[in-house]
Amino acid sequence: MSAPLNTFKKALSDGETQLGCWMSMAESYTAEILSGAGFDWLLIDGEHSPNDIRSIRDQMMALKGSASHPVVRVPIGETWILKQVLDVGVQTVLVPMVETAEQARDLVRACHYPPNGTRGVGYAVGRVSNFGQTENYGPTADAQICLLVQVENKTGLENLDEILAVEGVDGVFIGPADLSASLGYLGQTMHPDMQATILGALKRISDSGKAAGILTSDDGMIQASLDAGARFVAVAMDIALLLNSAKAVAAKWQNTKS
């Protein structure tokens, strides 16, 4: 038995577009509900949501067997948190605030076992190997890890070409909100200057042969991103879906009150 095929990584490698939903509610119940919604991937957010390793594990359990591939965004690109999320079964990780090629290379090493990397060899007691029952997990694991890095500030953008040249980085995600703030356009991701910058970066990523990604719920921006070459695009957010639907229903019936 080998490490399971990373269907998300294979799809990106094959040039397929993967549409996802951002999960910020930090609940396994929500993850289980969204697992049947039809998204190609679901993002468990450990950076801006109240997730810890146990809630990430529980959401991974809720998504087991789902056609929607789980992606986990860690809060920071540190070896210890990458070690933990990989050991609970995560195959695809998204790392925020990557600024340099050196940082990207460190992340690649942290996601791979020796002699090619520095990932701790503890899979025999982890969920990742079905608690030691996947006998050939270790030798086959590296090929199924998908590392996505976020470029979302001025320094990262300036070093984008060098980051793209790092072997082992499977995709680069543009963080529009942080990038806009870093460039002096806080809260203005739809400003024409920022749109040109974001779409230009997506095209550079795509042209390099790496997968380009972004999060946006704006229909026009989704299409523009796809046209620029983006191949993993989060098109919705669980909190926004819940809030917008609830507000629409409340407004509809509030307006009927006499």
Side-chain angles (χ1 to χ4, degrees), residues 21-234:
C21 180
W22 214 258
M23 299 196 302
S24 299
M25 296 179 72
E27 291 289 345
S28 59
Y29 212 54
T30 306
E32 189 172 17
I33 292 168
L34 287 174
S35 72
F39 292 105
D40 297 309
W41 57 286
L42 295 169
L43 188 288
I44 302 169
D45 188 13
E47 183 184 18
H48 294 304
S49 300
N51 274 305
D52 58 19
I53 193 61
R54 288 180 177 269
S55 66
I56 290 171
R57 176 205 60 190
D58 290 350
Q59 288 168 86
M60 290 293 297
M61 292 169 65
L63 293 175
K64 185 176 182 179
S66 170
S68 300
H69 181 82
V71 179
V72 170
R73 177 164 73 169
V74 294
I76 189 171
E78 294 282 354
T79 300
W80 68 269
I81 187 61
L82 289 168
K83 185 185 302 185
Q84 287 194 336
V85 298
L86 293 173
D87 280 355
V88 297
V90 177
Q91 288 186 301
T92 302
V93 292
L94 176 62
V95 181
M97 288 294 177
V98 175
E99 298 182 328
T100 66
E102 180 181 5
Q103 185 182 1
R105 283 190 289 269
D106 286 342
L107 295 170
V108 172
R109 286 191 289 270
C111 290
H112 292 81
Y113 287 124
N116 300 314
T118 59
R119 181 181 174 187
V121 184
Y123 58 83
V125 295
R127 183 177 180 273
V128 69
S129 69
N130 194 21
F131 307 100
Q133 297 179 88
T134 305
E135 296 178 0
N136 202 38
Y137 174 79
T140 59
D142 287 358
Q144 303 306 327
I145 299 299
C146 182
L147 174 61
L148 310 172
V149 301
Q150 285 188 237
V151 168
E152 49 186 339
N153 62 23
K154 185 175 184 291
T155 302
L157 191 63
E158 290 171 348
N159 293 322
L160 178 57
D161 291 337
E162 289 79 7
I163 293 169
L164 289 169
V166 175
E167 185 177 356
V169 170
D170 297 288
V172 176
F173 180 96
I174 296 298
D178 281 289
L179 182 59
S180 298
S182 177
L183 296 177
Y185 292 89
L186 177 62
Q188 302 178 68
T189 60
M190 301 304 291
H191 188 284
D193 291 347
M194 282 312 308
Q195 287 291 290
T197 298
I198 292 167
L199 295 174
L202 291 173
K203 185 176 187 305
R204 285 167 63 190
I205 297 164
S206 179
D207 288 348
S208 78
K210 305 282 191 186
I214 195 169
L215 162 66
T216 175
S217 59
D218 180 85
D219 286 353
M221 185 59 179
I222 292 169
Q223 189 58 59
S225 297
L226 293 170
D227 292 343
R231 285 297 168 263
F232 63 103
V233 181

Side-chain angles (χ1 to χ4, degrees), residues 25 237-251:
M25 296 179 72
M237 296 167 280
D238 60 354
I239 288 177
L241 290 172
L242 175 61
L243 180 60
N244 292 340
S245 179
K247 289 172 70 174
V249 172

